[in-house]
Amino acid sequence: MFRVAQPEDLPALCGLMQTSFGDGAEFTEMMAARFAGWKNVYVAQPEGGPVAAMLCAVPVTLQGKSGAYFYALCTDPQTRGKGLMTGLMEHAADTLRAAGNRFIVTIPASAGLFGFYEKRNFVRAFARRSFIRPVRRNLWAAAEFDTVTVRSLLQMREKYAPNSVLLGLDSFTEVLRDLYSLGVTVVSSPDGYGLFFRHWDSLRFIELFATSDRAAELLVQAAREKTGATQAEITLGAAQSIFPAEGRPADYGMIRFLGESFDVSESYMGLMLDETGQA
C-alpha cells in the first residue's frame, strides 16, 4: 500500500497536486524529480486502486543532523478522513528513522492544520515575527544585487544563520529558481544578505540576516535606493537578534523528533518552497 513513487506515477501526482493546491504538471514534475528527488517521494496506493495520497520527504540538515522536510502532503478527496495520510506519514517516518535520520520538519498550510500534525507527534517550532517599518533614504548605503550564486547563498546562510534547516544544493537551486521566476531580488554585503519582493511602494523581505541592526538597516536602505520603495515588510525568525523589539512571534513550522529530541528554540526555517507550493 505504501511505497516510493516512480516517474510513471507522475500523472497521478499531478492530479493530486492540482486538486489539492492548484499546481500544474510542470511544478509537480519539478517538485518530484528535482526538489525532492523521486526516491524521496512516498505514495499510498490501496490494493487494486489508483495512487490516493502522496508526500515528499526532502533531505535537510539541522545542527549537523540529518532529517527530512515533509512537503506537498495531499490525499484524494474521496479517501480523506480514512487514515491513509497518517499511515503514509508513519511509513515515511519509519523509513527515515531506519536510515539514521533524526527529525522531520514541515510547514502547515493553514493554522487549522497545526492540530492535525500535533496529533501525529509534531511540535511547534521555528516561530516567525513580521513587522512593517519605514525606510529612510541613504545614498551611501552600498550593497550588491543578484550577484550571488546558489552555492554562495547557501554558504551565506551557513555563515549568518548556522542554526537553520538547510536544504541540499539541488533542492535549494529549485527554490531560488522558483523565487526568481516570481521576481525576487537578492541584496548582499560583507555583513549580511536579504531576499525581497517589491510590491508597489513596499519591499517584502522574506529573509534577512545581518551581523547587526545597523548592517541590516543598510541592506534595507540599499534596496530602497535601488527600487524607490519607502517602507519594508520584514519577516524574521522569532529568535533572530536583529530588530529584537519588532514584531510578535507567530507559529510557522513544526518538528517531529525521530528518537531523542534536541533544542530547536533558536533554530530557523525558511526558503523551503513554501512561498508558492507548500502543502
Side-chain angles (χ1 to χ4, degrees), residues 1-28:
M1 178 181 286
F2 306 123
R3 60 176 175 83
V4 173
Q6 302 298 317
E8 52 265 33
D9 292 316
L10 182 60
L13 304 190
C14 289
L16 289 171
M17 291 291 288
Q18 177 65 43
T19 300
S20 299
F21 312 119
D23 291 313
E26 183 177 356
F27 181 90
T28 303

Side-chain angles (χ1 to χ4, degrees), residues 222-279:
R224 170 181 171 149
E225 294 304 318
K226 179 178 177 63
T227 65
T230 61
Q231 73 172 14
E233 304 172 34
I234 300 174
T235 296
L236 303 174
Q240 279 184 247
S241 60
I242 56 175
F243 308 134
E246 300 194 52
R248 294 182 177 181
D251 290 331
Y252 176 65
M254 304 188 80
I255 187 167
R256 173 178 174 176
F257 299 104
L258 300 176
E260 185 178 356
S261 63
F262 52 93
D263 185 13
V264 295
S265 60
E266 296 188 1
S267 297
Y268 170 82
M269 182 165 62
L271 300 190
M272 305 294 288
L273 205 65
D274 56 302
E275 291 294 322
T276 56
Q278 166 61 28

Side-chain angles (χ1 to χ4, degrees), residues 2-4 42-43 86-96:
F2 306 123
R3 60 176 175 83
V4 173
Y42 295 84
V43 297
T86 297
L88 182 60
M89 292 170 67
E90 289 305 312
H91 171 77
D94 290 343
T95 303
L96 292 164

Side-chain angles (χ1 to χ4, degrees), residues 24-37:
E26 183 177 356
F27 181 90
T28 303
E29 182 176 18
M30 176 277 292
M31 176 196 70
R34 300 191 298 279
F35 178 61

